[in-house]
Amino acid sequence: MQTNLFIRKRGGRGFTPAFPLLALYDPVLRLLTRERGWRSALLARLAPAAGERIIDAGCGTGTLLAEIGGAAPGAQLIGLDPDRRILVRAEAKLKRARVVATMHQGYLRDLDRLVASESAAKIVSSLVFHQVSLDEKRDGLSAMFNALAPGGMLLVADYGLQRGVIMRTLFRLVQLTDGFADTQPNADGILPVLMQETGFTEVAEADVFATVTGSISIYSARKPTDR
Ligand SMILES: C[S@@+](CC[C@H](N)C(=O)[O-])C[C@H]1O[C@@H](n2cnc3c(N)ncnc32)[C@H](O)[C@@H]1O
């Protein structure tokens, strides 16, 4: 069992919860991650359109789904998260925002099974990969690849390569909370490497945001059109 400062990851749950006190998750995130900056950049890159099937993998409290739905009424939205309690919060937030989304309880690695009948145009994931094991990072990317239509877009916003002493030191707060085993590969810059190994093309670190908890990168990639 992996024991972190605030939470016991494997204590019967099999995933790192977003935050021990879920009611505080949204305000804490705003404070610690310069959320407005990276979320609006993510939304701009996603450029959602009506009719597109878009998945938010590890959707948490549904903030991004609500923004996507607001920007593109008529997009077919799907949310996935293993935490039943957070899905309840997400559904309430989406209802308030009058955004319709289909919600699934599951892990990143379950994505292709969930959308087996119809592939997605775009998949987005924010602040999830730093919380999962190396195996889940690989399996999750592979499931995302399978769930995407040929030419489909993947966008991942997360703590990525931590450049320099200041960012690496600030990122320690996240590492003390979420554990070193899952977070260190992200800090060493593994996400774009894994994306390429999975078969994605046009892999790029599109934006980097310095925050008080380390830098958050937006990685973009595409599934080749002939796969
Ligand atoms: C820090 S929160 C981020 C939530 C949301 N994406 C956001 O940007 O606010 C991480 C989320 O990942 C979910 N999660 C943890 N392990 C996961 C896994 N293996 N597959 C999918 N989601 C996972 C957690 O339940 C939590 O909701």
Side-chain angles (χ1 to χ4, degrees), residues 8-204:
R8 282 177 185 276
K9 176 175 184 179
R10 311 281 178 213
R13 265 191 293 237
F15 61 89
T16 300
F19 199 71
L21 279 173
L22 272 189
L24 292 181
Y25 173 73
D26 285 353
V28 168
L29 195 76
R30 264 195 297 278
L31 198 68
L32 296 184
T33 73
R34 286 183 58 201
E35 185 188 20
R36 283 270 38 92
W38 63 262
R39 264 207 218 282
S40 37
L42 189 59
L43 191 62
R45 290 199 176 275
L46 189 67
E52 279 180 341
R53 196 168 164 84
I54 302 174
I55 300 173
D56 183 356
C59 61
T61 55
T63 306
L64 192 58
L65 281 173
E67 291 185 357
I68 298 170
Q76 294 175 49
L77 303 182
I78 299 172
L80 171 92
D81 203 286
D83 189 341
R84 193 181 43 76
R85 294 177 317 139
I86 215 163
L87 286 174
V88 170
R89 284 192 167 265
E91 277 166 349
K93 185 181 283 183
L94 292 170
K95 195 171 170 191
R96 283 196 301 276
R98 297 178 198 277
V99 168
V100 176
T102 306
M103 308 299 272
H104 294 280
Q105 186 175 12
Y107 295 94
L108 296 179
R109 61 181 177 271
D110 300 324
L111 254 189
D112 46 355
R113 186 176 51 73
L114 288 174
V115 297
S117 56
E118 197 186 339
S119 50
K122 296 171 180 173
I123 297 180
V124 65
S125 183
S126 53
L127 303 184
V128 179
F129 275 89
H130 77 279
Q131 290 194 331
V132 306
S133 70
L134 201 47
D135 281 348
E136 177 74 347
K137 294 184 209 298
R138 284 203 178 90
D139 294 347
L141 284 171
S142 173
M144 288 171 164
F145 189 89
N146 294 335
L148 274 172
M153 175 197 280
L154 171 66
L155 285 173
V156 173
D158 209 334
Y159 295 100
L161 178 64
Q162 300 300 312
R163 298 171 172 87
V165 175
I166 293 176
M167 284 303 123
R168 283 201 297 274
T169 305
L170 292 173
F171 188 56
R172 290 279 186 233
L173 177 63
V174 176
Q175 298 198 286
L176 285 170
T177 309
D178 291 340
F180 281 77
D182 297 346
T183 56
Q184 192 58 43
N186 276 50
D188 293 337
I190 201 160
L191 286 182
V193 177
L194 294 181
M195 286 175 187
Q196 268 158 350
E197 283 176 11
T198 306
F200 283 103
T201 55
E202 301 177 37
V203 175

